[in-house]
Amino acid sequence: MKLIVHVTTLEQWKSVLNIWFNQGYHWASGKADEYDEGKFITMDGRHLGLNINDDECISFWSDYTCDYLNKKDYLVEYDAFMLQQTGAGKMKTYYVTEEQLSLIKELKSKSFPIDYLALNSDGYFSPLAIRLSKEFASALLRYLGGDDSVEFKVKEPLYRLWRVDLANDTVYMKINDSGTPDWTNFKSGAFTAPLEEIKMWDNPAWSIEKVG
């Protein structure tokens, strides 16, 4: 597939590159996943090309580069490119804590959020990095770079039922293989659900507690 994406901001430049890096593409120079901001800032790069020379590599052009002008058949605008990538209703949602969501929203409000994050890593990255997976880190950078296919939400809290038995041990309600309420000594095996659903299983023998 040959493709040229027209971008107008550095955030859009990074967003397109993030998508292609995640798909395994790289610069023709062999750089695996570097943004090469200089190509946008000092070399007036406003067009990112993919597989133009049948080499599965990323290229770039300015508005005045003859090589680009000969390939306008492959040109798409940034918004159209993002729509092709995500499609209607294909938003990817990542669930975070309230603290993490607050930090993400604050970062998003900055003029250059990715640069701000890099320059203030001691103050911001640690709370975001708790059990930070590679996929989450990539999604965060794409989101800060303007990728509209990524969103972050606080996951609805879960609850479970517990009680103290005659041996003074704490037990938890679970659902057995027959779909019948049962009990277990192990917290990890407890039935968990949003509060409204947990209330449907509640009775005087049990108490409700929040998971985590």
Side-chain angles (χ1 to χ4, degrees):
M1 177 187 68
K2 296 183 178 182
L3 181 65
I4 296 176
V5 182
H6 177 223
V7 299
T8 58
T9 68
L10 183 59
E11 286 74 19
Q12 290 181 358
W13 170 278
K14 292 179 179 180
S15 181
V16 172
L17 288 175
N18 274 324
I19 291 173
W20 287 349
F21 290 156
N22 287 335
Q23 293 173 351
Y25 298 106
H26 55 82
W27 290 107
S29 62
K31 294 180 179 179
D33 54 0
E34 296 179 13
Y35 292 123
D36 273 3
E37 291 96 332
K39 289 183 170 68
F40 180 91
I41 298 171
T42 63
M43 301 176 70
D44 198 33
R46 295 297 182 269
H47 298 86
L48 285 164
L50 181 66
N51 199 30
I52 297 302
N53 299 313
D54 298 315
D55 53 6
E56 297 190 350
C57 291
I58 301 170
S59 309
F60 85 100
W61 297 269
S62 70
D63 286 330
Y64 313 104
T65 306
C66 292
D67 193 29
Y68 150 69
L69 294 174
N70 293 329
K71 297 176 173 64
K72 282 193 173 181
D73 289 343
Y74 310 133
L75 178 65
V76 297
E77 294 297 322
Y78 172 80
D79 289 343
F81 169 75
M82 295 305 298
L83 184 61
Q84 291 172 5
Q85 296 300 308
T86 61
K90 291 186 178 179
M91 178 78 71
K92 177 67 174 179
T93 301
Y94 293 85
Y95 292 99
V96 296
T97 66
E98 291 185 9
E99 179 188 18
Q100 289 173 330
L101 184 61
S102 177
L103 288 171
I104 290 170
K105 286 182 176 180
E106 183 175 349
L107 284 168
K108 183 69 172 177
S109 70
K110 304 296 182 183
S111 298
F112 299 97
I114 295 177
D115 295 336
Y116 191 88
L117 176 60
L119 294 172
N120 295 273
S121 59
D122 290 342
Y124 281 91
F125 192 70
S126 294
L128 292 175
I130 299 172
R131 293 183 293 278
L132 189 64
S133 67
K134 184 177 181 180
E135 180 185 3
F136 182 95
S138 175
L140 175 61
L141 292 177
R142 283 168 26 224
Y143 175 79
L144 295 176
D147 187 342
D148 295 331
S149 70
V150 177
E151 67 175 353
F152 293 94
K153 291 183 177 180
V154 176
K155 191 171 185 178
E156 184 176 4
L158 299 177
Y159 295 82
R160 60 184 164 234
L161 293 167
W162 69 278
R163 66 182 179 87
V164 177
D165 64 13
L166 294 177
N168 207 34
D169 294 324
T170 300
V171 297
Y172 301 90
M173 193 197 93
K174 71 171 187 175
I175 305 295
N176 62 28
D177 294 338
S178 301
T180 303
D182 205 339
W183 62 272
T184 175
N185 289 115
F186 300 101
K187 189 181 294 187
S188 60
F191 170 70
T192 61
L195 184 59
E196 291 305 311
E197 185 176 352
I198 282 291
K199 287 180 178 180
M200 296 171 59
W201 295 93
D202 193 17
N203 62 56
W206 296 101
S207 297
I208 297 176
E209 73 174 10
K210 188 176 182 179
V211 175

